Amino acid sequence: MSTTTNLSAGRPYLAIPGPSVIPDAVLQAMHRPSPNIYAGELLSLTDSLIPDLKALARTEHFVAIYIANGHGAWEAALTNTLQPGDKVLVPASGRFAIGWSEMAEALGIEIEILDFGTAAPWDLEQVAERLRADPGHQIKAVLGVHVDTSSSIRNDVAALRAVMDAAQHPALLMVDCIASLGCDRFEMDAWGVDVMVSACQKGVMTPAGMSFVFFNDKAAAARAKLPRVSRYWDWTPRANPAEFYQYFGGTAPTHHLYGLRAALDLVQQEGLERVWARHARLAEAIWAACECWGAIDDPMQGLRLNVADRGLRSHAVTALHLPAPSASSLRQWLEQNLGLTLGIGLGLAPAGSAEWHGHFRLGHMGHVNGHMIMGLLGGIETGLKALDIPHGQGALAAAAAVLARPV
Ligand SMILES: *Cc1c(COP(=O)(O)O)cnc(C)c1O
């Protein structure tokens, strides 16, 4: 009888762009019986989360917590600021911007998309032109996605604000930081963002199911002008609760709160600036490896980063091309043989189409470190070899050189 060698037992590694790897400290904090929701530790623990969430978003204003995924936070941000018939401008660098605008449309909001494709950042000259062509201020908000997780483009939020200011346009600036919060530098107040939405299962390292809407006084004033906001989504009681249950509009997400506390403790222990620096360095190692793999005679036949310019790449997610069906084969091979799961392609081709099998994504957000990224890259190198996919040499050495650099 022959035995087959299986190299996938052991701890699996989910390297998709959310949900991300959950730290043991978060899992352990959640492993407990239900706490009292009327008095005691859970109440003070929740109060302690608020300043730490604001620090994470670099804001001194307000935060509302929702028991919802990122889509819930999208809807909350829209319903608290806009009403049917209002118009929003949506500069788009990928699928998530389109998704948020579709949600706005479903709420009766008129959307205008400036679509910059799936491999380019916002063209701020075009945004400026559109804002200048709106002297009557029909546009009530600009919706932007900081890091679009489908394309892995990272947009310049501060520059968008500068363009809005230069046009003297009063629209709200609303930003989706679901993929970037806790990974890429984001400065809500300094960058002049009025509303920011995020969720807990990416850079915030907590199981999916909780999301956040941060807002400033200008956004609160927009909310105050609305005739009504549906009771559950209204951010006002959540951000200024007179009673504990108002934080959540009902029963608290008890275990998530313990998990989030542990996750925010990890961020505090490391320091937010150092968290960002870690993500930047790990991303650089990934890029170095990918650029080596892609260095073959006909680059279009090999592995290719979706975003050509390093300065426009997210530090949390990397979208890649590998001619179909190789990308899908690589993902399957790695999961079955090494216990390593990579992300599917999203939004660069219709899901399930032949072309779609030529895209994949790496998640490197949250609880990831040097040895995990070297394991991820070593796994990919192994898969490329096992499947005989053409690739350039020296990828692991290039990544190691990035991580070995002292500063
Ligand atoms: C993941 C993600 C979303 C959607 O979040 P869900 O929790 O899946 O609803 C929206 N925007 C961006 C940028 C994301 O990365």
Side-chain angles (χ1 to χ4, degrees):
M1 204 177 90
S2 68
T3 51
T4 51
T5 311
N6 181 315
L7 304 176
S8 69
R11 179 175 278 232
Y13 182 2
L14 185 69
I16 70 175
S20 65
V21 173
I22 303 173
D24 290 347
V26 172
L27 292 171
Q28 283 156 11
M30 298 179 78
H31 194 88
R32 63 174 67 229
S34 281
N36 186 354
I37 58 167
Y38 302 112
E41 187 184 46
L42 192 70
L43 279 59
S44 51
L45 181 145
T46 301
D47 286 339
S48 80
L49 295 172
I50 305 304
D52 295 348
L53 283 170
K54 291 182 190 174
L56 187 63
R58 297 284 181 124
T59 182
E60 296 188 339
H61 298 284
F62 306 99
V63 60
I65 303 177
Y66 291 91
I67 307 168
N69 60 15
H71 281 69
W74 270 355
E75 182 157 340
L78 296 169
T79 54
N80 277 281
T81 50
L82 300 159
Q83 52 187 335
D86 282 348
K87 179 171 190 141
V88 295
L89 183 66
V90 188
S93 301
R95 182 60 222 160
F96 284 93
I98 305 291
W100 196 10
S101 71
E102 286 168 351
M103 179 171 272
E105 194 169 35
L107 290 168
I109 295 161
E110 194 187 327
I111 60 170
E112 184 173 328
I113 298 174
L114 293 176
D115 194 343
F116 301 119
T118 55
W122 301 326
D123 178 342
L124 292 173
E125 204 26 67
Q126 284 190 45
V127 176
E129 202 173 299
R130 184 61 192 86
L131 292 174
R132 284 195 299 264
D134 181 36
H137 302 150
Q138 295 301 306
I139 296 167
K140 299 297 178 213
V142 178
L143 309 187
V145 177
H146 183 209
V147 164
D148 201 300
T149 323
S150 60
S151 61
S152 66
I153 282 278
R154 178 163 47 83
N155 279 301
D156 189 340
V157 174
L160 175 56
R161 165 47 75 191
V163 155
M164 293 171 69
D165 286 349
Q168 295 186 319
H169 201 291
L172 291 169
L173 174 54
M174 317 222 309
V175 178
D176 168 345
C177 291
I178 295 174
S180 54
L181 187 67
C183 305
D184 284 279
R185 174 177 295 277
F186 177 79
E187 310 264 4
M188 177 160 170
D189 291 354
W191 293 357
V193 173
D194 299 306
V195 177
M196 187 270 267
V197 301
S198 196
C200 71
Q201 78 274 23
K202 300 190 183 180
V204 189
M205 306 179 285
T206 304
M210 223 164 33
S211 54
F212 318 108
V213 178
F214 299 86
F215 59 97
N216 65 10
D217 292 325
K218 182 175 171 188
R223 157 67 191 92
K225 278 198 215 116
L226 296 181
R228 72 183 65 80
V229 171
S230 72
R231 191 80 178 85
Y232 190 76
W233 291 117
D234 191 353
W235 65 28
T236 314
R238 289 170 183 267
N240 303 288
E243 291 175 52
F244 181 70
Y245 87 92
Q246 290 185 337
Y247 272 121
F248 311 105
T251 306
T254 50
H255 290 65
H256 272 79
L257 297 174
Y258 279 101
L260 179 60
R261 180 65 269 161
L264 294 173
D265 286 344
L266 288 174
V267 171
Q268 266 179 357
Q269 281 153 23
E270 186 177 356
L272 186 52
E273 294 279 350
R274 293 176 71 211
V275 169
W276 289 335
R278 171 168 53 82
H279 281 84
R281 184 73 75 90
L282 295 174
E284 193 187 335
I286 291 170
W287 305 339
C290 292
E291 285 160 5
C292 285
W293 285 321
I296 58 174
D297 287 345
D298 179 359
M300 295 306 284
Q301 291 309 307
L303 189 132
R304 213 156 35 84
L305 287 134
N306 183 53
V307 181
D309 181 343
R310 282 189 170 210
L312 299 174
R313 291 180 193 156
S314 154
H315 296 159
V317 52
T318 299
L320 295 148
H321 302 248
L322 184 61
S326 294
S328 285
S329 313
L330 180 68
R331 279 194 302 102
Q332 271 165 24
W333 191 91
L334 289 174
E335 185 158 73
Q336 282 164 11
N337 293 278
L338 299 188
L340 170 61
T341 303
L342 310 183
I344 58 169
L346 193 69
L348 305 187
S353 66
E355 199 197 339
W356 176 82
H357 290 285
H359 303 129
F360 68 106
R361 291 174 303 157
L362 307 177
H364 34 103
M365 41 181 55
H367 197 57
V368 283
N369 60 21
H371 84 74
M372 294 164 77
I373 294 304
M374 289 308 290
L376 167 68
L377 298 173
I380 295 172
E381 171 97 10
T382 309
L384 292 171
K385 196 171 185 62
L387 296 171
D388 228 358
I389 296 170
H391 61 282
Q393 301 302 307
L396 298 181
V402 171
L403 299 187
R405 212 172 58 211
V407 281

